[in-house]
Amino acid sequence: MSPTFGEAVRTWARIGCLSFGGPAGQIALMHREIVDEKKWLTEKQFLGALNFCMLLPGPEAMQLATYAGWRLHGVKGGLAAGLLFVMPGAFVVLTLSMLYGAFGNVPWIAAVFYGVKAAVLAIVIEALLRVAKRALKSTADWVIAALAFVALFVFALPFPLIILAAAIYGYAKGGGVADEAKTLPPLQSLVSTTAIWLAIWLLPLALLALMLGPDHVLTELGVFFSKLAVVTFGGAYAVLAYMAQAAVEQKHWLTAPEMIDGLALAETTPGPLILVTEFVGYLAALRQMGSVWGGLAGAVVTLWMTFAPCFLWIFAGAPYIEHIGRNPRLAAALAAITAAVVGVILNLSLWFGLHVLFGRVERMAGWFSPWVPDWAALDWVSLALSLAAAILLLRFHFGIVKTLALAGAAGFVVSLV
């Protein structure tokens, strides 16, 4: 049964406040909430939408939430789900960015999120097992998932290449007669939706350039993050290195240590990891405009240019997802992508786990380039917190809110000791 709009809004707000752990943790949380517990989407609908979002530039988890909201309540539902997924984390990152701009790193906040991050690892692993069990139905699916994981984790191949290869394999293996019982949405609807959201996205950028000039920091932020919004295939992980290098070495908005602090902050707060762009935008505008109000303007411009395109991709493309499922070859391609996505999620989960449990993790140089932890830097406290969180979740069935709260408190206590 579909929820009321008010019930859905409350759920999206809850998910937004609890969406720790990057895309792996966020996808896990949404799957648990809207598939397992509330049954608003079927497993097939959820995985089909996830596959579609994986093909898009931008944060896949935020776009998945937007699609789910759109499916339940149309455009207003998509807006509510997408905005509520982003805004709690954006508010936290902005607050911490302001504190960082004024005082530098704040140790007690880092201590709380230290515990939270360890608990998220348990949530991620639980969801990975659940999704794999339901998505991998044949030997071919398991092989595709394994190859996708190895290609990403061991050989660092480009994410789009992995998805393209899986899609081509599935399409070639598919067959049958397409079910055209339902017609495609009219082309006019696609054109009008695209035009509206292009205007919402780019008109503010044009106004900034006209009013402030192309060399003003706000215009530069708008142009830079608009470009970034269309090349972030594979989510934030695929583009963070490029963004960090450009912000530090080319634009000189931040120093390298500040960029690292910003990445750590975004990794341990709720919301998409790409919210690190807000940290960059705030500090860049704060310093060049010389005031907190300038920093706030920089944060707003950055958020707008980062997330407005996400609504364009979803509202333009979402009506076509079910049509893909009715075409046998396209459905087979999507099924192969589903299997590959399990490998992608495993890669993200392992990457996240290594960075939680080890103080130093590096990718080997060369064509064979897996992530390798420094075993001497194993964080035994994080490991203990993760195991405790796993026991609370899996053995005693604690809710996510209670588990994260207890882990955060434990992280704070550990820092005092």
Side-chain angles (χ1 to χ4, degrees), residues 76-97:
K76 73 172 184 179
L79 283 171
L83 290 173
L84 288 170
F85 189 87
V86 170
M87 294 315 295
F91 177 77
V92 173
V93 170
L94 178 60
T95 302
L96 297 181
S97 298

Short mmCIF file of all heavy atoms in Angstrom, two decimals, residues 76-97:
data_model
loop_
_atom_site.label_atom_id
_atom_site.label_comp_id
_atom_site.label_asym_id
_atom_site.label_seq_id
_atom_site.Cartn_x
_atom_site.Cartn_y
_atom_site.Cartn_z
N LYS A 76 6.41 16.22 -6.78
CA LYS A 76 6.53 16.74 -5.40
C LYS A 76 7.15 15.70 -4.48
O LYS A 76 7.92 16.02 -3.57
CB LYS A 76 5.18 17.20 -4.87
CG LYS A 76 4.18 16.09 -4.51
CD LYS A 76 2.96 16.65 -3.81
CE LYS A 76 2.00 15.53 -3.37
NZ LYS A 76 0.82 16.07 -2.67
N GLY A 77 6.85 14.43 -4.73
CA GLY A 77 7.46 13.36 -3.93
C GLY A 77 8.95 13.24 -4.20
O GLY A 77 9.74 13.05 -3.28
N GLY A 78 9.34 13.38 -5.48
CA GLY A 78 10.76 13.33 -5.82
C GLY A 78 11.53 14.49 -5.22
O GLY A 78 12.64 14.32 -4.71
N LEU A 79 10.94 15.68 -5.27
CA LEU A 79 11.59 16.86 -4.68
C LEU A 79 11.75 16.68 -3.17
O LEU A 79 12.81 16.97 -2.61
CB LEU A 79 10.78 18.12 -4.97
CG LEU A 79 10.89 18.70 -6.37
CD1 LEU A 79 9.87 19.81 -6.58
CD2 LEU A 79 12.31 19.23 -6.61
N ALA A 80 10.68 16.20 -2.52
CA ALA A 80 10.74 16.01 -1.06
C ALA A 80 11.81 15.00 -0.69
O ALA A 80 12.62 15.23 0.21
CB ALA A 80 9.37 15.57 -0.54
N ALA A 81 11.83 13.87 -1.40
CA ALA A 81 12.79 12.81 -1.06
C ALA A 81 14.22 13.27 -1.33
O ALA A 81 15.12 13.07 -0.51
CB ALA A 81 12.48 11.56 -1.87
N GLY A 82 14.45 13.89 -2.48
CA GLY A 82 15.79 14.33 -2.83
C GLY A 82 16.31 15.41 -1.90
O GLY A 82 17.45 15.36 -1.43
N LEU A 83 15.47 16.41 -1.63
CA LEU A 83 15.90 17.52 -0.77
C LEU A 83 16.13 17.05 0.66
O LEU A 83 17.10 17.44 1.31
CB LEU A 83 14.86 18.64 -0.80
CG LEU A 83 14.76 19.42 -2.13
CD1 LEU A 83 13.59 20.38 -2.10
CD2 LEU A 83 16.06 20.17 -2.41
N LEU A 84 15.22 16.21 1.17
CA LEU A 84 15.38 15.74 2.56
C LEU A 84 16.54 14.78 2.69
O LEU A 84 17.10 14.63 3.78
CB LEU A 84 14.08 15.09 3.03
CG LEU A 84 12.93 16.06 3.30
CD1 LEU A 84 11.63 15.31 3.54
CD2 LEU A 84 13.26 16.95 4.50
N PHE A 85 16.94 14.13 1.61
CA PHE A 85 18.12 13.28 1.65
C PHE A 85 19.38 14.13 1.80
O PHE A 85 20.34 13.73 2.47
CB PHE A 85 18.20 12.43 0.39
CG PHE A 85 19.26 11.37 0.43
CD1 PHE A 85 19.01 10.13 0.97
CD2 PHE A 85 20.53 11.63 -0.07
CE1 PHE A 85 20.00 9.15 1.02
CE2 PHE A 85 21.53 10.66 -0.03
CZ PHE A 85 21.25 9.42 0.52
N VAL A 86 19.38 15.30 1.17
CA VAL A 86 20.57 16.15 1.14
C VAL A 86 20.63 17.14 2.29
O VAL A 86 21.70 17.36 2.89
CB VAL A 86 20.64 16.91 -0.21
CG1 VAL A 86 21.73 17.97 -0.18
CG2 VAL A 86 20.88 15.93 -1.35
N MET A 87 19.49 17.77 2.64
CA MET A 87 19.53 18.94 3.51
C MET A 87 20.04 18.68 4.93
O MET A 87 20.79 19.52 5.46
CB MET A 87 18.14 19.61 3.55
CG MET A 87 17.71 20.20 2.21
SD MET A 87 19.01 21.16 1.38
CE MET A 87 19.22 22.51 2.53
N PRO A 88 19.68 17.58 5.60
CA PRO A 88 20.25 17.37 6.94
C PRO A 88 21.77 17.32 6.91
O PRO A 88 22.45 17.97 7.73
CB PRO A 88 19.65 16.03 7.38
CG PRO A 88 18.37 15.92 6.62
CD PRO A 88 18.67 16.54 5.29
N GLY A 89 22.34 16.57 5.97
CA GLY A 89 23.79 16.51 5.86
C GLY A 89 24.39 17.84 5.46
O GLY A 89 25.45 18.23 5.96
N ALA A 90 23.70 18.55 4.55
CA ALA A 90 24.19 19.87 4.13
C ALA A 90 24.24 20.84 5.30
O ALA A 90 25.18 21.63 5.43
CB ALA A 90 23.31 20.42 3.01
N PHE A 91 23.23 20.78 6.16
CA PHE A 91 23.20 21.65 7.34
C PHE A 91 24.36 21.31 8.29
O PHE A 91 25.03 22.20 8.81
CB PHE A 91 21.86 21.51 8.07
CG PHE A 91 21.78 22.31 9.34
CD1 PHE A 91 21.57 23.67 9.30
CD2 PHE A 91 21.93 21.69 10.58
CE1 PHE A 91 21.51 24.42 10.47
CE2 PHE A 91 21.86 22.43 11.75
CZ PHE A 91 21.65 23.80 11.69
N VAL A 92 24.59 20.00 8.50
CA VAL A 92 25.69 19.58 9.38
C VAL A 92 27.04 20.00 8.80
O VAL A 92 27.89 20.55 9.51
CB VAL A 92 25.64 18.06 9.61
CG1 VAL A 92 26.87 17.59 10.38
CG2 VAL A 92 24.38 17.66 10.37
N VAL A 93 27.23 19.75 7.50
CA VAL A 93 28.50 20.11 6.87
C VAL A 93 28.72 21.62 6.89
O VAL A 93 29.83 22.10 7.14
CB VAL A 93 28.56 19.57 5.43
CG1 VAL A 93 29.77 20.13 4.68
CG2 VAL A 93 28.62 18.05 5.42
N LEU A 94 27.65 22.39 6.67
CA LEU A 94 27.78 23.85 6.72
C LEU A 94 28.17 24.31 8.12
O LEU A 94 29.07 25.16 8.28
CB LEU A 94 26.48 24.51 6.29
CG LEU A 94 26.46 26.05 6.34
CD1 LEU A 94 27.54 26.63 5.44
CD2 LEU A 94 25.09 26.59 5.97
N THR A 95 27.51 23.76 9.13
CA THR A 95 27.83 24.12 10.51
C THR A 95 29.28 23.82 10.84
O THR A 95 30.00 24.64 11.41
CB THR A 95 26.89 23.39 11.49
OG1 THR A 95 25.53 23.71 11.18
CG2 THR A 95 27.19 23.78 12.93
N LEU A 96 29.72 22.61 10.46
CA LEU A 96 31.10 22.23 10.75
C LEU A 96 32.09 23.03 9.90
O LEU A 96 33.20 23.33 10.36
CB LEU A 96 31.28 20.73 10.50
CG LEU A 96 30.46 19.80 11.40
CD1 LEU A 96 30.75 18.34 11.07
CD2 LEU A 96 30.71 20.08 12.87
N SER A 97 31.69 23.39 8.69
CA SER A 97 32.55 24.23 7.85
C SER A 97 32.74 25.60 8.48
O SER A 97 33.85 26.17 8.46
CB SER A 97 31.96 24.38 6.45
OG SER A 97 31.85 23.14 5.79
#
